[in-house]
Amino acid sequence: MKALHNLVEKVKPNFEKGGKLEKLNRTFEAFETFLFVPGNVTKKGSHIRDAMDMKRTMFHVVIAMIPVMLFGMWNVGYQHYLAIGQEVAFLDQFVYGLIRVLPLIVVSYASGLAIEFLFATIRDHEVNEGFLVSGLLIPLVIPVTTPLWMVAVATIFAVIIGKEVFGGTGMNILNPALLARAFLFFAYPSYLSGEVWIDTTLQEGQQLVDGFSGATALAVLAAGELQYLPSAFEMFVGTIPGSIGETSTVAVLIGAVILVATGVGSLRIMLSVVAGGLFMGGLFNLFAVNDFMAIPPYYHLIMGGFAFGTVYMATDPVSASQTGTGKYIYGFLIGVITILIRVVNPAYPEGMMLAILFMNVFAPLIDHYVVAANIKRRMNRLKKAEVTIQK
Amino acid sequence: MSETNSNTQKEPLFSGKNQKLLSNPLNKDNPITVQVLGICSVLAITVQMKTSLVMAISVVAVMGSANLIISLLRKGIPPRIRIIVQLTVIAALVILVDQILKAFVYDVSRQLSVFVGLIITNCIIMGRLEAFALNNKPWPSFLDGIGNAAGYAWVLLAVGFFRELLGSGTLFGYQVIPNALYEFGYENNGFMILPPMALITVGVIIWVHRSRERDLIDIS
């Protein structure tokens, strides 16, 4: 560690003003602060600086995503060998998934960070840390069969239109990772719906097993083919087709524990999204005019991207509501709208993405009214106090 | 003597001031990117270059003549009913354009559908009539109309260019992106055909425009 620090200090003058590589100052700074907590001192105002800066906050989210990522990799291999009817060892399944998923992650990070560094250099601001999370989220919310160049295009779109035009991390209205997914969903619909969830590239001599369907639980329900619906246990563990990271509720729960324990993710939002989902699912269950409405409400929590979206997307500290009460409203409405889209709109079997993006847009409005209500309440209290004093 | 006097006072047809009338709306006073008027039609009819071009030409024709006619009538229009008079003039011109389109380019006219009729409600036209043609002589008014319509037209064509190229892989209906690229795995971007992408394209054009013309940036 010491040697690394010395090396950083040694090359530092090259990047400072007047140095040979002055243009790359921001790039250097990004790597330096990534490795070591910078020794900056606050010049005015409060003098306490927490070592837990943005980079390390974001890093906690990345750590929380690792269980989901590892499970997703294994599930890609598992689903693949299931589809071609081969039984292979656990490790082989994992390695197959790793080989398939790793390029997606690399492309997402490379294209996104390239844009980030470019903007940081042109605009001369610090490199935004937010992309550490977005770069890993994007591959986790898409099907494994998505072509790499599409991932790159979507990532670049999300970083520029979703973030940089608003002024970078902390200014964005929408969650960049979800924006990338929404872009893919609307731009290349045939690659993001239908039978794209399982990697079915065949080697010489391999073939798909009879009766292979490859549809997600939500698609099965939307089509009304209840006999193909996986069991609740399968959906909970995650051995079902779906986007890379979304299938396993268990892995997502591990991530949720990490996020809540480190104080990075908001428990309020997570709980209220679940409450909203259960409420709307229960309401549909009461009427139950078709198969989709008839399923038990808790099924909604373990199907599709509900759990993943709840824990990693809805809790995004930038695009979510900031006020405490606002978080309850924001989360609850995400849950309600998700189930509403799932069950009522046949064009979109999964509603989590659209619900979160929709509520992202409304988050500032919710905050505004929460704050206004608070001011009003306290003004009334003040008036009452004045009246009693006058008496 | 008096004749020569009036001749020297007469402005040349393309004096500096008149040139400004033509060129300003193309850049620093662009109706779309600076004044943000007439956005609806930009979102609606820019899926293809062909419709964009026909729309652009129609608006240039309507705006040039509307400004000219209103400017000629400007002394005879009672101020209280001026909006009705303006509307009548524009509506008459739009119907003319609509009939011509139906007669000569029927398929494009069908694609444009109501949007030809909706030229009447294009804020740019009414805006220029109110702001310029009512107070100025016919020739500058005509130039102002043409200039503003051209400013509208180039944005329309630019948006149409990117939307058709990326959304359908064609320009004016001819395939531009080679088949080899499709075989390589390239796909048309279906999002470009949807209206939200037109809005984002206009936004990007405004962004590029403002970063080139720094004095347009106002932070209020």
Side-chain angles (χ1 to χ4, degrees), chain A residues 9 70 121 165:
Chain A
E9 289 300 323
L70 292 179
T121 309
V165 293

Side-chain angles (χ1 to χ4, degrees), chain B residues 134-198:
Chain B
L134 274 177
N135 311 311
N136 285 285
K137 289 184 176 160
W139 174 243
S141 298
F142 177 71
L143 288 182
D144 181 76
I146 298 285
N148 275 286
Y152 169 82
W154 81 252
V155 178
L156 208 65
L157 290 174
V159 176
F161 175 81
F162 286 114
R163 285 186 77 191
E164 188 175 352
L165 181 68
L166 300 175
S168 320
T170 56
L171 284 178
F172 290 107
Y174 298 105
Q175 192 178 334
V176 180
I177 292 174
N179 274 329
L181 209 55
Y182 286 105
E183 280 158 23
F184 202 63
Y186 178 79
E187 286 281 321
N188 286 328
N189 188 330
F191 202 12
M192 287 308 270
I193 297 173
L194 303 172
M197 219 43 197

Side-chain angles (χ1 to χ4, degrees), chain A residues 14-15 20-30 121:
Chain A
N14 284 331
F15 294 97
K20 271 184 292 188
L21 299 164
E22 192 190 332
K23 279 240 164 69
L24 293 173
N25 181 14
R26 294 298 176 180
T27 315
F28 171 76
E29 187 186 74
T121 309

Side-chain angles (χ1 to χ4, degrees), chain A residues 149 157 165 183 186-188 191, chain B residues 185 187-191 197 207:
Chain A
W149 70 269
F157 176 86
V165 293
F183 177 83
F186 287 106
Y188 311 107
Y191 287 83
Chain B
E187 286 281 321
N188 286 328
N189 188 330
F191 202 12
M197 219 43 197
W207 183 18

